[in-house]
Every structure is written in C-alpha cells, then in structure tokens.
Amino acid sequence: MHINRLSLLNSLFSVFNENPQGDSNYVLARYFLEHYHELDELNIYDVAADCFVSRSSVRRFCQSIGYDNFLDLKTEFRKYDDQRSYYLQHADRPNYRQALTHEINEMIEELDRRMDAAEESERLVDRIHDARYVVFLTSDASTSTIRDFQQSMLFVGKIIRLISDAYTDNELVNSMDENDLLITLSASGIFAYAARDYVEHCRAKKMLVTVNRDPVFKEYYDHVYHLSAKDRSKESHSVYGRYGIAYMFDIIYSQYLRKYGTAGR
C-alpha cells in the first residue's frame, strides 16, 4: 500500500483550501473532489479538457501529492477506496445519537482506567519532554487533533512537528536519531501498516497509538500504546480513533503543563 494514498482526501482538501480559485492546482483539486466517487473511471484526456489544463499539468499535480502519475493515483484509489463506506456505515445506524453517546462514554471510562493504572500518560509526558525532536506521523483522520496539541504545546515551550502528507518526500524522519521521538497515530492500524517501510529504519525512539493488536507492530516500534484492551480494528469508524486520541492528548497536555509547563507563564 502506498503511504500517500491514505492521505489523498487530506491532500486534495489542502490544495483546495490553500490556493486561489484561478490556480490550476485549485481547479484540479476541486475537480477530483467533485468526481471522487468515480475517480478510478476518469482518463487524463477528459480531466485536462474539463479543467482547461495540459496533461503535463495533471501529471505534475499528481506528483505534488505523492503519486508518480495520474494512472498511479487511479490504481491506488481503486485498490484502497474505503473512505465512502467508512463514513456512511458509521452514521447510517438507527438511534445514532444514543449509540454514539454510549460508545463515547464507555471509551472514556476505559481510557481513564488504562491511563491511570499503567501510568502511561506520565511516561509519555517524560518522553516528550526529554526528546530533542518530537514528530507525529498521522493520516488525515488524526491531523486536526494533533494540530491542536501542537499549538497547545508551544505555550509550554515544546515545539512539536507534524507530518500528515507528502510522507515520501519528507526527509525529517530519516534525519532523526535516538535523542528524538516519533509517534505514529493509527487507530485502526491501516495507516501503521502502510507506514512500516517508512519508519522501519528511523533511528528515533518510536511509539504507535492504535486499537490494533497485531503483534507485527512490535517489530517496528519500541512501544505500542493500545487505546483499548481488546482489538477494535475491525469496528467501522471507531470512537477510539475519532474521540479517544483527542481525549488522550488532552490528558497528556494537562500533565505536561503541570509538570514542565513553566515557559510562557
């Protein structure tokens, strides 16, 4: 699996949000978003004609978001298009509000027990404080949560780095060493599988946050923090990924602030 495939929607929306309407990259991003459900059926000639750009512009756009060419983007989309069913299955349930409230309450109770009993949060706080560089590797699902954590940590004197797209073009991970900390967030484990080759040779201390209990991850990470006592990787749109990670890092930030947060006061 191509690691950049998992950030396709994030990459498209980033280009869409950050470029002026007349820019060719904006036009292409919007076109791919509007035709996302049929992306694997498009051909480069129609895309170029509909967007009033050249085929080379389409290829350059694909390369800018991590694909060798337009065919590569289509192939990866066709193989791993799980986004539509992922969101629809989660929300299309009877008594959705009640079910979601129940799931969130159970999740918070479990996370509260696990973080308190194992003192995991305090250990992670110390690791973050002691590391020269702290880098989060995430898919688009966790990006907004960690961006909030990133901004909060600035006010207690710690700069956090975030890699959420263009993974294979980023040299930061390769430059890290044993004085640094790399934290991969992958609730279901899908992103962690895709990132294995990317993190395998990283010399930093490595941690994975997930609900997936596949023992293979212990080969790539120094520590695997499981958000749940049982494997929930097959649960569609698990609340552990959407809300659990946010809850966990709110606790981490609070503990860091109380223990080390003198900067900026």
Side-chain angles (χ1 to χ4, degrees):
M1 184 184 295
H2 196 302
I3 187 173
N4 287 65
R5 165 62 187 93
L6 295 175
S7 68
L8 176 57
L9 277 176
N10 188 46
S11 297
L12 290 176
F13 273 116
S14 293
V15 175
F16 177 73
N17 291 333
E18 296 170 8
N19 287 276
Q21 292 188 24
D23 187 272
S24 61
N25 285 332
Y26 169 89
V27 173
L28 286 165
R30 177 169 181 166
Y31 185 86
F32 288 141
L33 288 168
E34 290 176 342
H35 295 83
Y36 192 80
H37 63 287
E38 57 183 1
L39 197 153
D40 63 327
E41 300 174 3
L42 301 177
N43 68 70
I44 193 170
Y45 297 96
D46 290 339
V47 173
D50 291 346
C51 295
F52 300 100
V53 300
S54 65
R55 281 175 287 157
S56 60
S57 294
V58 178
R59 285 192 291 269
R60 285 194 297 270
F61 177 86
C62 293
Q63 290 168 353
S64 73
I65 60 173
Y67 299 90
D68 292 336
N69 49 52
F70 183 59
L71 179 60
D72 181 37
L73 184 150
K74 288 176 54 175
T75 300
E76 292 292 325
F77 176 88
R78 187 161 49 243
K79 287 181 180 178
Y80 304 111
D81 181 30
D82 53 2
Q83 296 294 314
R84 179 180 173 84
S85 60
Y86 182 77
Y87 284 99
L88 295 182
Q89 289 177 13
H90 174 71
D92 189 18
R93 294 183 291 171
N95 301 315
Y96 175 74
R97 180 176 59 82
Q98 295 90 334
L100 181 62
T101 300
H102 176 72
E103 290 170 5
I104 291 174
N105 287 337
E106 281 197 333
M107 177 269 298
I108 289 176
E109 290 178 3
E110 181 178 15
L111 270 176
D112 183 54
R113 290 193 303 269
R114 292 178 62 74
M115 294 180 76
D116 182 60
E119 298 180 343
E120 288 289 354
S121 56
E122 186 173 351
R123 280 198 287 267
L124 180 53
V125 162
D126 292 337
R127 290 188 183 111
I128 291 174
H129 177 267
D130 296 341
R132 179 184 58 168
Y133 299 132
V134 179
V135 177
F136 280 85
L137 183 64
T138 78
S139 65
D140 60 319
S142 304
T143 299
S144 59
T145 294
I146 298 306
R147 279 182 178 162
D148 184 66
F149 180 72
Q150 180 184 42
Q151 293 174 15
S152 300
M153 289 296 289
L154 178 66
F155 300 116
V156 291
K158 191 71 176 183
I159 295 179
I160 303 294
R161 301 190 183 193
L162 170 63
I163 304 176
S164 59
D165 54 21
Y167 308 103
T168 53
D169 293 332
N170 196 300
E171 297 297 324
L172 176 59
V173 170
N174 293 331
S175 68
M176 298 172 72
D177 62 26
E178 61 277 1
N179 297 307
D180 306 319
L181 176 63
L182 176 70
I183 303 175
T184 300
L185 302 181
S186 178
S188 68
I190 294 175
F191 178 75
Y193 287 126
R196 283 184 295 181
D197 292 342
Y198 188 61
V199 304
E200 180 179 8
H201 301 295
C202 177
R203 294 174 296 150
K205 296 176 182 176
K206 293 175 285 189
M207 175 181 177
L208 171 65
V209 179
T210 185
V211 298
N212 191 313
R213 288 187 165 267
D214 189 336
V216 72
F217 293 131
K218 293 182 179 179
E219 300 176 15
Y220 298 89
Y221 291 93
D222 302 299
H223 181 70
V224 179
Y225 181 82
H226 295 108
L227 292 166
S228 176
K230 68 177 185 178
D231 190 312
R232 298 178 181 272
S233 58
K234 300 299 187 294
E235 295 181 7
S236 176
H237 210 70
S238 169
V239 294
Y240 285 81
R242 189 170 180 84
Y243 305 102
I245 290 176
Y247 174 82
M248 173 182 176
F249 282 97
D250 278 349
I251 302 301
I252 296 300
Y253 176 68
S254 175
Q255 293 196 351
Y256 192 101
L257 173 65
R258 287 184 285 109
K259 188 169 186 179
Y260 296 112
T262 56
R265 288 187 175 182

